[in-house]
Amino acid sequence: MNTERMNVESFNLDHRTVAAPYVRVADRKQLSQGDVITKYDVRFTQPNVAHLEMDVIHSLEHLFAESSRNHSDSVIDFSPMGCQTGYYLILEGEPDVTATAALIEATLTDVLKATEVPAANEIQCGWGANHSLAGAQDAARAFLAQREAWEQVTA
């Protein structure tokens, strides 16, 4: 195993020691003009044990990306991880974990109330047929059920 420090923060995280679900600061960057962005690791499933199916990940991405902006002007991006275990939430500024968890909770509560996946069509999406509202809501429900554990990253 490579123990040399790597450029990508998550490659330096020992995925065997984390206990999903959780919300953690993965990175903070000060941009050249002085603005700060914060990247959160929003982990839904235990790495190397479970993952979200692609239609679920895709639908939750659409739902979260659209709904989160109703709760915060600081949302820059919400992107799925390639390993399908969670997402990266990128926010303007330096919101703390507690404030970010509140944003995530409010957004996932909206997901549970949704009647359709926004932009789930071939005009607005590159794979419009690959969605599951029910699956996204199940994933949101499971994540919300563990709300008290979100700020604890390791067991």
Side-chain angles (χ1 to χ4, degrees):
M1 183 168 96
N2 184 1
T3 57
E4 182 180 318
R5 185 115 182 112
M6 300 187 76
N7 292 323
V8 177
E9 185 276 341
S10 66
F11 295 166
N12 297 306
L13 176 69
D14 187 339
H15 288 72
R16 300 168 301 178
T17 65
V18 298
Y22 62 78
V23 175
R24 75 175 183 93
V25 173
D27 199 9
R28 279 205 171 93
K29 294 262 190 250
Q30 183 165 9
L31 304 179
S32 60
Q33 299 299 312
D35 294 326
V36 175
I37 59 172
T38 304
K39 178 173 79 172
Y40 277 90
D41 173 345
V42 183
R43 195 70 62 144
F44 273 67
T45 64
Q46 186 61 33
N48 299 301
V49 174
H51 69 278
L52 298 171
E53 293 299 323
M54 188 52 73
D55 59 348
V56 171
I57 267 241
H58 191 193
S59 296
L60 200 49
E61 173 198 12
H62 278 230
L63 287 155
F64 195 100
E66 181 65 19
S67 294
S68 63
R69 288 166 169 89
N70 294 330
H71 299 286
S72 174
D73 290 333
S74 68
V75 175
I76 295 171
D77 192 39
F78 185 72
S79 301
M81 296 175 178
C83 60
Q84 297 174 236
T85 62
Y87 300 83
Y88 288 115
L89 173 60
I90 301 175
L91 301 172
E92 178 183 30
E94 299 182 67
D96 62 21
V97 174
T98 302
T100 302
L103 168 63
I104 294 166
E105 182 175 18
T107 302
L108 292 179
T109 299
D110 290 348
V111 167
L112 295 179
K113 298 173 189 170
T115 58
E116 65 182 7
V117 176
N121 60 69
E122 63 184 32
I123 294 170
Q124 297 173 293
C125 178
W127 194 5
N130 184 46
H131 287 281
S132 172
L133 175 60
Q137 289 173 326
D138 287 346
R141 194 174 294 107
F143 195 76
L144 285 166
Q146 297 294 315
R147 173 63 177 93
E148 71 283 348
W150 291 0
E151 293 184 42
Q152 183 174 335
V153 177
T154 57

